[in-house]
Amino acid sequence: MNDMAVTIIPKSDQLNADDLLAGPRTITIRDVKIAPGTEQPVGVFFDGDDGKPYLPCKSMRRVMVAIWGADASAYIGRAMTLYRDPSVTWGGMEVGGIRISHMSHMDENAIVVLTATKKSRKPFTVAPLAMPKKVTAKPPGDAPDAKARAF
């Protein structure tokens, strides 16, 4: 294997922007934990997270609530695409952050106006994410009888 992406995975207990340097990632949510009053009050656990949940910033939590509603238990089984936005600032410096580009369970683009600075707000657009169709095996009784086929 010659995939450099596996060599730059940050050592952390959460998904962070550097995990997305190789490109966006679509996740399917399996659990959401909420701990009000903590610095990072929401943990979004997803299939294949290796114990590193997505801890959305306040702006992305606002996007999730605006599109999917406030009941986090309804998020289970839903999916979203996360990407690294290099323009995200912290402490006055561009450090990069995680943003949501697509979400399932919506029919058309959604625009959520978010706080950019204390004095300004900017529109943030999220596109619909098509959920893959689950393939289910047919019960044995539904299989065609080999003798009944004509060739």
Side-chain angles (χ1 to χ4, degrees), residues 42 54 56-70 75 99-100 103 110-118 120-122 124 126:
V42 177
Y54 166 47
C57 66
K58 188 177 284 189
S59 290
M60 293 302 99
R61 293 193 309 262
R62 288 177 173 155
V63 167
M64 293 165 71
V65 170
I67 294 171
W68 285 343
Y75 300 178
R99 296 289 185 247
I100 301 167
M103 294 173 70
I111 299 171
V112 181
V113 179
L114 299 172
T115 301
T117 66
K118 288 182 181 181
S120 71
R121 296 171 56 83
K122 292 185 179 176
F124 184 84
V126 178

Side-chain angles (χ1 to χ4, degrees), residues 1-2 8 14-15 24 30 40 59 64 68 83 86 88 106 123 130 133 135-136 140 151:
M1 174 194 252
N2 287 333
I8 61 171
Q14 69 185 40
L15 183 72
R30 65 177 167 77
Q40 295 178 308
S59 290
M64 293 165 71
W68 285 343
Y83 70 98
V88 172
M106 54 186 286
K133 301 259 191 272
V135 178
T136 56
F151 292 99

Side-chain angles (χ1 to χ4, degrees), residues 63-82:
V63 167
M64 293 165 71
V65 170
I67 294 171
W68 285 343
D71 181 4
S73 66
Y75 300 178
I76 297 170
R78 295 182 180 193
M80 61 181 146
T81 301
L82 306 176

